[in-house]
Amino acid sequence: MILNLLKKDLKDISCQALIVFTKSSAAKDHLATIANSDLGKKYVSLLEEKTISGKALEAVTIREANYGGFRNLIFVGLGEDKVLDHEVVRQAAAAAYDAVKALKVKEAVISFDGVKGTAKEAASFVKALAEGLSLASYTFDQLKSKKVKATTAKSKSEEDSEDQGLQIHVVSHSAHEKSFKAAFQEGIITADCVNFARYLGDMPGNLMTPKILAEEAQKAAQGTKVKVIVWDKNRIVKEKMGGLLGVSLGSTHEPRFIIMEYKGGKAHQKPLVFVGKGLTFDSGGISIKPSAGMEEMKYDMCGGANVIGTLLAAARLKLSVNLIGLIPSTENMPGPGANKPGDVCFARNGKSFEVNNTDAEGRLILADALSYASEQDPGMIIDAATLTGAMVVALGNIHTGYFTRDKEVKSSIEKAAKISGELVWNMPLTDQHLKDMKGTYADLSNMSSGKGAGSATAAAFLEQFVGEGIPWAHFDIAGTGWAVGNRLNYCTKKGASGVMLRTFVELAKNYE
Ligand code: BES
Ligand code: ZN
Ligand code: ZN
């Protein structure tokens, strides 16, 4: 899909479809003002009988409307003015995209001026519009036999540039304004990186091994200011990453440790380090998972994928900030060499842990990555991981739970999430949680000795690998990393969501 911004009068455009936004309180007046037209009058009966009600996300298509130069019309509701925000616009954009797709047209015009808002809101709304359209356009069909020839391990962005089937022109009086244009572009770039992260997540475990994940990161970073360094198994051994190595031992696919660096800030700025769990398939290992739903564990690298996408987005948006992305990547499989319950491993920072359940593997690979992150003299460390089933129980697929003991980090996260529109929830993390993670034979156990609070005890385990005094937060995206399409219409029903990438970009933008 190609998206562009146009400053033109609707009267001077002819196109197969026009999308106009309607609001529920004053839909009639609102329509009547569009391009000084008689659109409102023409559809007065539809307004009166509330076929067009302006309700949020309602999309009413009128085929063969032949209104001005437009053959078809689509009315998309924004709901009431007083609750209009960028998330409503993002979802309305996705509803508009679906309606355009259903029309099977190749070109459509969106009249943005019906959205209104202050100048600041207008920029945030047009960014959300671009995001909603681009996010809704994501499909994962490269493994269907019709397409497979062209794509063995091709990146989603390459795919999109080939699929130039649909053009959407967003028409606005503000289209020439610098900040408006920049916001629109930002929306496109961010969504593009979310879509790339989704593609990485949606690929099955056999086609997204640690090696392939690292190659995808390298390939995607080409031509950007992101430097990618990949450590193989030998290097991981040399670097004393006993957690990552231990988890990898049951698999025939060797692990990788992916390091991404983006230096957009001043030389003296301490880096903001993002760490993402890159578990390309989690069978549970010797403590094997039940087979029902196990296929979903291909998504266990979503945290890593979303960190890769964050670094790419930062570079493409030319953010003036220094970032590092770290993705420990491995499979978790049963095999002759696999970690066994009771085994003890040593993480990079020298701490030892008992592997009392090989399915609690995410924390083991993150232990090494967080230790390495702490050595980089970071200003802040943020990690994202599909870490615990307990998080799914606690918050479902609505909020992403995050853990931090740092008030400033908490306030930056809340601020960033408000701007991104992604829902987050601050979870408890205390010394009580750490107490339950003490080992009998080693420093720590990867299993809690207590009952419940599985997400918080996992976070307490991770905290043991973060250097003293370093501001840190952990995001458990187990519930929100995929299958959120039942709540967010710009996400697919069964696929990866790319969650937290948009919030991470906001965090990076505001990081000092
Ligand atoms: N990858 C899983 C967590 C997960 C579960 C993500 C469901 C998404 C949906 C993780 O490695 C895991 O298996 N965690 C265990 C830990 C337990 C054994 C302490 C869990 O949550 O059951
Ligand atoms: Zn597991
Ligand atoms: Zn896992």
Side-chain angles (χ1 to χ4, degrees):
M1 180 186 57
I2 294 178
L3 271 183
N4 59 43
L5 198 53
L6 274 184
K7 180 177 159 68
K8 236 179 169 183
D9 207 312
L10 289 181
K11 284 193 297 240
D12 303 326
I13 307 176
S14 64
C15 187
Q16 289 162 305
L18 170 67
I19 293 116
V20 284
F21 289 110
T22 60
K23 293 178 183 170
S24 49
S25 47
K28 199 167 160 183
D29 298 347
H30 174 61
L31 289 177
T33 59
I34 290 174
N36 302 322
S37 74
D38 56 355
L39 194 54
K41 260 186 271 158
K42 187 166 172 174
Y43 293 107
V44 73
S45 59
L46 294 184
L47 292 168
E48 275 168 5
E49 70 204 20
K50 298 258 186 237
T51 303
I52 300 171
S53 72
K55 232 170 46 198
L57 305 197
E58 169 190 272
V60 180
T61 300
I62 305 192
R63 289 176 186 265
E64 305 303 337
N66 292 313
Y67 168 70
F70 302 99
R71 188 166 160 192
N72 305 289
L73 278 174
I74 301 168
F75 294 93
V76 176
L78 287 173
E80 285 189 39
D81 233 340
K82 58 175 190 278
V83 287
L84 179 63
D85 67 5
H86 57 85
E87 182 59 17
V88 173
V89 176
R90 199 172 284 109
Q91 297 206 24
Y97 178 85
D98 290 344
V100 169
K101 273 303 242 197
L103 263 180
K104 294 195 168 65
V105 292
K106 287 279 171 227
E107 218 176 349
V109 165
I110 294 185
S111 168
F112 179 77
D113 289 329
V115 182
K116 289 230 173 65
T118 61
K120 202 169 160 211
E121 278 172 343
S124 123
F125 289 172
V126 81
K127 177 179 167 225
L129 181 85
E131 282 177 356
L133 291 167
S134 303
L135 292 172
S137 77
Y138 174 80
T139 52
F140 182 70
D141 53 10
Q142 43 270 90
L143 300 179
K144 303 270 188 197
S145 57
K146 266 193 290 174
K147 290 214 170 187
V148 80
K149 239 167 60 197
T151 51
T152 324
K154 201 172 236 184
S155 84
K156 183 65 198 155
S157 22
E158 275 175 69
E159 270 293 293
D160 284 343
S161 60
E162 278 167 20
D163 175 22
Q164 300 190 346
L166 175 62
Q167 277 198 52
I168 297 185
H169 311 280
V170 177
V171 176
S172 168
H173 288 306
S174 313
H176 61 292
E177 288 166 20
K178 214 172 146 194
S179 58
F180 192 84
K181 273 203 292 208
F184 183 71
Q185 277 312 321
E186 192 180 324
I188 295 176
I189 290 172
T190 310
D192 202 34
C193 294
V194 172
N195 287 345
F196 178 61
R198 288 169 164 184
Y199 154 79
L200 296 175
D202 284 340
M203 278 303 240
N206 64 327
L207 301 178
M208 193 50 65
T209 59
K211 180 169 176 277
I212 298 174
L213 183 65
E215 286 164 357
E216 285 281 356
Q218 283 171 318
K219 206 161 63 167
Q222 271 167 23
T224 74
K225 273 184 67 185
V226 178
K227 192 169 117 194
V228 183
I229 300 156
V230 178
W231 291 352
D232 63 6
K233 184 179 174 183
N234 287 339
R235 183 72 190 260
I236 288 166
V237 173
K238 272 196 200 122
E239 297 289 343
K240 300 191 165 50
M241 294 188 155
L244 176 57
L245 182 74
V247 173
S248 77
L249 293 175
S251 171
T252 48
H253 293 286
E254 290 197 352
R256 292 289 184 271
F257 187 69
I258 307 167
I259 303 169
M260 299 175 82
E261 280 175 12
Y262 169 69
K263 290 189 175 145
K266 299 215 170 75
H268 66 264
Q269 188 191 42
K270 291 183 173 193
L272 162 55
V273 185
F274 289 105
V275 175
K277 174 177 174 183
L279 219 295
T280 58
F281 188 76
D282 182 10
S283 69
I286 298 293
S287 318
I288 199 159
K289 287 181 182 293
S291 50
M294 200 204 271
E295 71 281 0
E296 291 188 337
M297 283 301 125
K298 69 171 182 173
Y299 292 115
D300 213 17
M301 34 58 73
C302 275
N306 302 350
V307 164
I308 293 173
T310 301
L311 270 281
L312 295 172
R316 286 182 61 191
L317 294 169
K318 300 191 171 58
L319 300 188
S320 25
V321 62
N322 295 332
L323 303 179
I324 298 178
L326 303 174
I327 301 101
S329 183
T330 176
E331 277 191 339
N332 184 23
M333 297 289 282
N339 269 347
K340 303 168 292 297
D343 282 1
V344 171
C345 298
F346 288 82
R348 184 177 168 88
N349 69 350
K351 289 195 183 172
S352 60
F353 46 72
E354 297 158 25
V355 184
N356 289 321
N357 185 320
T358 66
D359 197 12
E361 84 300 334
R363 61 199 74 184
L364 310 186
I365 69 169
L366 290 169
D368 289 325
L370 290 168
S371 303
Y372 181 77
S374 303
E375 294 162 24
Q376 309 310 305
D377 191 21
M380 176 158 76
I381 302 176
I382 300 286
D383 78 68
T386 43
L387 204 64
T388 62
M391 183 49 76
V392 190
V393 175
L395 300 180
N397 67 354
I398 304 172
H399 291 79
T400 296
Y402 72 91
F403 301 79
T404 184
R405 298 207 207 199
D406 188 307
K407 285 203 179 78
E408 277 179 42
V409 173
K410 179 181 172 196
S411 114
S412 320
I413 289 170
E414 293 293 334
K415 213 166 111 192
K418 203 158 176 230
I419 300 172
S420 74
E422 294 183 310
L423 299 179
V424 295
W425 198 260
N426 187 213
M427 302 287 291
L429 170 55
T430 69
D431 290 347
Q432 291 300 324
H433 298 112
L434 176 61
K435 214 165 130 189
D436 289 355
M437 299 307 286
K438 295 283 181 209
T440 311
Y441 313 103
D443 299 334
L444 294 159
S445 164
N446 76 335
M447 281 291 285
S448 169
S449 56
K451 277 216 168 88
S455 305
T457 50
F461 182 95
L462 296 184
E463 196 182 34
Q464 291 305 298
F465 301 90
V466 178
E468 196 68 37
I470 300 173
W472 162 76
H474 155 62
F475 287 74
D476 194 335
I477 60 168
T480 51
W482 74 92
V484 295
N486 61 326
R487 306 201 182 271
L488 301 172
N489 65 345
Y490 47 80
C491 293
T492 50
K493 293 256 177 328
K494 274 196 114 174
S497 63
V499 76
M500 286 303 121
L501 192 155
R502 282 162 32 214
T503 304
F504 288 175
V505 169
E506 287 306 326
L507 270 175
K509 269 165 71 181
N510 296 312
Y511 175 77
E512 281 169 1

